Amino acid sequence: MGTRATHVKCLAAALGSAIASAVVIVSPVLAHAEGCDQWEFNGEFKFVTDAGSETFSVPAQGTDIDGSYSLDSTPNVAPVRGKITGNTVSLAVAYVASLWTGQIDPAGNVSGTGEGIGTPNSRWHSVGAPLLCKATPLPAPQITLRYDAPTLVGITGWVGMTNNAGKPAVDCTYSDGLLPPRPLSVYGDKETRIDLPGIPSGHVYNITVKCGDLTHTEQKQF
């Protein structure tokens, strides 16, 4: 019997008779504290233990694991099911009756301790490519338009953009359906003032504000 096969057999024997499944839980530090919204697997999760030199690897894509882990060049040693939920990785691994826990560092590497992998509280750590940090995309920018209370000589409008903080100035136009479009620029998350002179008459204006590829339309009575 080969060395790896012997290792697998001894590992199973040391852990007890063959079992249907067990749970391996990796409990990383809060990813949000490190500026990461969601850790994800990069296609394969690999780790080693201080009880041996073999590399464990299991297919893992996105937040899910569904396959069998390999031990170095020995494929399909045991089935694995798992999923990342929040800041926890849960793995159901057949023939491994132990609980492993670890933490994800800011670089996406995992390390921790585990029972049943040589000696109690034996150390283990991930190897190869680190986990991926997937940031939650910001909502798309939207044009905002508001008005101050009208006066006898006109009204003041304010044009802005949501989710635009720290971005370069955006060229915009303001149209009321009667006069030619009026140019203006919106800077980051700041509102730009636009003075609209006129005498209140109760007329309903068809307002259109365009900023780049964005368009905002509404009706305003003044």
Side-chain angles (χ1 to χ4, degrees):
M1 182 179 293
T3 301
R4 293 191 180 89
T6 301
H7 177 92
V8 173
K9 182 177 180 180
C10 292
L11 175 63
L15 298 174
S17 60
I19 60 175
S21 65
V23 176
V24 180
I25 300 176
V26 180
S27 302
V29 293
L30 292 179
H32 289 280
E34 303 295 346
C36 181
D37 296 311
Q38 177 65 64
W39 291 108
E40 291 191 354
F41 298 112
N42 58 16
E44 187 175 37
F45 186 58
K46 294 184 177 183
F47 58 94
V48 297
T49 76
D50 64 0
S53 60
E54 295 89 351
T55 298
F56 296 79
S57 62
V58 58
Q61 188 67 46
T63 59
D64 297 302
I65 291 178
D66 187 357
S68 297
Y69 79 82
S70 300
L71 190 63
D72 279 351
S73 60
T74 303
N76 303 320
V77 176
V80 181
R81 300 292 183 272
K83 185 175 181 64
I84 296 177
T85 303
N87 296 307
T88 299
V89 178
S90 299
L91 304 178
V93 185
Y95 307 120
V96 181
S98 60
L99 179 66
W100 299 346
T101 60
Q103 291 186 320
I104 302 176
D105 67 19
N109 301 305
V110 187
S111 62
T113 60
E115 297 290 339
I117 51 177
T119 59
N121 297 319
S122 180
R123 298 294 304 177
W124 66 273
H125 62 272
S126 61
V127 294
L131 299 183
L132 301 177
C133 180
K134 184 177 181 180
T136 301
L138 293 175
Q142 299 291 331
I143 297 171
T144 62
L145 174 62
R146 65 181 182 89
Y147 296 93
D148 290 344
T151 68
L152 295 177
V153 295
I155 189 171
T156 298
W158 299 89
V159 179
M161 292 182 65
T162 62
N163 306 309
N164 197 53
K167 295 183 180 179
V170 179
D171 293 330
C172 305
T173 57
Y174 177 99
S175 304
D176 59 16
L178 293 178
L179 300 177
R182 297 183 57 173
L184 66 142
S185 295
V186 173
Y187 299 85
D189 57 355
K190 307 298 182 182
E191 291 182 308
T192 298
R193 174 173 177 165
I194 179 169
D195 293 314
L196 306 167
I199 300 175
S201 63
H203 181 78
V204 176
Y205 295 88
N206 295 313
I207 308 300
T208 299
V209 180
K210 292 185 177 182
C211 295
D213 296 331
L214 302 177
T215 300
H216 171 86
T217 60
E218 67 176 67
Q219 291 186 324
K220 176 65 177 177
Q221 186 176 26
F222 172 65

